[in-house]
Amino acid sequence: MPLTLSERTLSISPSVTLAVDARAKQLRAEGLDVIGFSAGEPDFCTPEYINDAGKFAIDAGITRYTPVAGTLDLRQKICDKFIHDNGVEYTPAEVIVSSGAKQSLFTALSAIINPGDEVLVPSPCWLSYPEMIRMAGGTPVLVHGREENNFVVTAEMMRPFVTEHTKALIINSPNNPNGCVWSRDELKAIADLAVECGFYVISDEIYEKLIYDDEKHYCMSSFGPEIKKQCIVINGVSKTYAMTGWRIGYAAGPKNIIKAMTSFQSHASSNANSIAQYAAATALSCGDKYILSMIDEYNARRRLMYRLVNEIDGLSCKLPKGAFYIMASLKEILGRSYKGKKITGSTSFAETLLDEKRVAVVPALAFGDDNYVRLSYATSRQNIVEGMARIKEFVSEMED
Ligand code: PMP
Ligand code: GLU
């Protein structure tokens, strides 16, 4: 038998967001002054009360296996959060805790997808969705949004893509990579379409709390008992509580799906880290009071970056409503050259920018649209001002 790799893994591309971020970190470690607008990772430290809980857990010996689906305490706190924030009732048997929302998503897809099943995804979308769908044996069906509509893909835009093979739809509001937020009516229409046509909705609500101005978040399963029966809500503590490295995410959904996900996880990885689970339970039990100042700061950065992008002749962007990303349009400048190198798309823009000006951005080709780059404003205002000044210089030095 030839010692080959599996076709499944060979068909998977590595995460571009993580790769760009790793390259930026490596250049920084080599002593270069790199400004990172790449990874969607809060630059804040995890709040002290959460760190203290983690230290307490180690000293108290909370260092053993927990139930595969997570400690009862954490699952109860997650249920309390759903009632308090979203007005939706779940019991601990309807919740599973995983090593990050990423694992919850993959496990959810693995629990419901059969070969040949199609999964609808509004696009541009977080780059891991199509890969995860394929890893689970399904086929991603991307439905493209338009910038003039703030990239919101409505139920009516999705309807023509529904087939007898449509098994699920993944919705991510507030959205990575473009910061759009679906309104209550737009979400409800998607819930109605799912109920009418009979497919699951995986609602990735990881950026729930990162929402600005008068925008409001609505949990997909809050639209009534029918959609709740076919909805899996994904969330986690990475973004809200600046806990990316602790790796705690969770899913809530019908008992049979959570049971199947628990069986899957019992063989794939067992429980999420026990210390991190304890810290996450503490994070969730203290409400929003510790995170409000972080949200205010993201909001100020959002406005700053939006203004600075639009001040660059040749670039433009919409004001995002949530998350911590801006999609900057390159449409006006594609085809120009920088020092003889033709900028043909988002990848050559991002690569040349990093090489020449030491600013890391993510080519939106990875999210499904080569006309944009994604900039994360989860970094200091000082970095935003400096990084945007470098981008301005870079664009002004391009030739037709
Ligand atoms: N969903 C979206 C849309 C994301 O951007 C991320 C970022 N990592 C995740 C899920 C996963 O988060 P984590 O695994 O850190 O909980
Ligand atoms: N989700 C974040 C991002 O889009 C973190 C990196 C990743 O997991 O893809 O940048």
Side-chain angles (χ1 to χ4, degrees):
M1 187 80 163
L3 298 176
T4 55
L5 295 178
S6 71
E7 280 167 27
R8 199 181 45 201
T9 50
L10 285 173
S11 71
I12 293 163
S13 27
S15 166
V16 175
T17 41
L18 294 179
V20 175
D21 192 53
R23 171 126 198 270
K25 283 179 178 152
Q26 187 201 329
L27 292 174
R28 227 175 269 137
E30 288 167 11
L32 296 172
D33 161 33
V34 176
I35 305 273
F37 294 152
S38 50
E41 170 160 43
D43 59 324
F44 298 108
C45 295
T46 305
E48 212 175 314
Y49 78 99
I50 302 174
N51 287 338
D52 287 344
K55 291 174 203 164
F56 172 82
I58 295 175
D59 291 336
I62 302 176
T63 52
R64 299 186 178 277
Y65 291 135
T66 74
V68 170
T71 62
L72 189 57
D73 179 49
L74 176 53
R75 282 181 289 144
Q76 187 56 57
K77 298 260 165 41
I78 292 167
C79 296
D80 298 345
K81 178 242 166 277
F82 273 111
I83 286 280
H84 180 268
D85 291 346
N86 312 110
V88 188
E89 218 173 297
Y90 283 110
T91 63
E94 294 168 306
V95 172
I96 179 171
V97 176
S98 309
S99 301
K102 211 176 231 181
Q103 191 190 20
S104 298
L105 279 159
F106 180 59
T107 309
L109 286 163
S110 302
I112 60 173
I113 298 299
N114 285 316
D117 286 351
E118 295 172 359
V119 182
L120 296 172
V121 190
S123 157
C125 64
W126 183 41
L127 48 79
S128 288
Y129 297 145
E131 298 301 335
M132 284 184 189
I133 294 165
R134 277 190 276 267
M135 282 157 72
T139 305
V141 177
L142 304 181
V143 184
H144 294 281
R146 284 190 295 272
E147 189 176 1
E148 16 342 338
N149 303 335
N150 288 315
F151 297 107
V152 166
V153 178
T154 60
E156 283 320 301
M157 288 163 76
M158 281 188 264
R159 185 183 285 278
F161 294 87
V162 177
T163 71
E164 56 182 314
H165 302 293
T166 305
K167 188 66 166 284
L169 178 153
I170 303 184
I171 177 112
N172 172 219
S173 176
N175 182 271
N176 177 6
N178 55 51
C180 72
V181 171
W182 275 251
S183 70
R184 186 185 186 284
D185 287 352
E186 286 161 345
L187 285 175
K188 169 87 170 58
I190 290 173
D192 291 346
L193 181 71
V195 170
E196 178 195 326
C197 300
F199 55 77
Y200 292 111
V201 177
I202 298 181
S203 182
D204 180 351
E205 304 185 5
I206 189 119
Y207 296 104
E208 162 179 27
K209 304 273 181 183
L210 305 184
I211 193 161
Y212 312 105
D213 300 333
D214 295 330
E215 291 298 323
K216 266 195 85 178
H217 172 79
Y218 296 92
C219 178
M220 180 54 79
S221 59
S222 70
F223 293 116
E226 285 189 305
I227 183 65
K228 190 169 175 239
K229 273 190 235 147
Q230 52 194 78
C231 178
I232 308 169
V233 182
I234 306 288
N235 209 324
V237 295
S238 285
K239 315 287 173 175
T240 310
Y241 299 97
M243 291 179 72
T244 44
W246 296 77
R247 311 304 305 129
I248 296 292
Y250 54 87
K255 262 189 209 153
N256 65 327
I257 298 180
I258 298 299
K259 199 169 162 217
M261 288 175 68
T262 307
S263 299
F264 187 96
Q265 187 169 294
S266 76
H267 295 296
S269 62
S270 301
N271 61 273
N273 178 298
S274 60
I275 300 152
Q277 285 192 59
Y278 188 84
T282 307
L284 289 175
S285 58
C286 289
D288 289 350
K289 60 180 185 259
Y290 293 95
I291 57 171
L292 294 177
S293 59
M294 291 195 259
I295 298 169
D296 281 348
E297 180 56 26
Y298 288 132
N299 193 7
R301 295 167 177 185
R302 172 182 74 119
R303 293 189 169 277
L304 175 66
M305 191 177 252
Y306 165 74
R307 180 169 60 77
L308 295 177
V309 169
N310 285 299
E311 274 176 19
I312 299 177
D313 198 13
L315 295 191
S316 63
C317 69
K318 292 264 188 202
L319 182 65
K321 296 178 174 180
F324 38 50
Y325 308 105
I326 275 185
M327 288 255 290
S329 169
L330 307 176
K331 283 178 191 161
E332 274 189 50
I333 57 163
L334 290 182
R336 292 188 194 168
S337 300
Y338 188 89
K339 291 187 184 164
K341 185 175 175 190
K342 208 167 170 93
I343 305 299
T344 51
S346 59
T347 306
S348 52
F349 180 94
E351 281 174 0
T352 316
L353 178 67
L354 185 56
D355 290 343
E356 298 287 341
K357 300 290 180 193
R358 306 282 174 230
V359 181
V361 302
V362 183
L365 176 63
F367 305 110
D369 198 328
D370 204 17
N371 290 311
Y372 298 85
V373 284
R374 188 193 77 177
L375 312 175
S376 161
Y377 50 87
T379 187
S380 69
R381 289 190 228 185
Q382 200 187 344
N383 277 347
I384 292 174
V385 169
E386 171 59 24
M388 292 312 301
R390 293 188 198 181
I391 296 179
K392 187 172 190 169
E393 192 175 71
F394 177 68
V395 173
S396 73
E397 288 166 0
M398 287 182 177
E399 287 154 9
D400 283 332

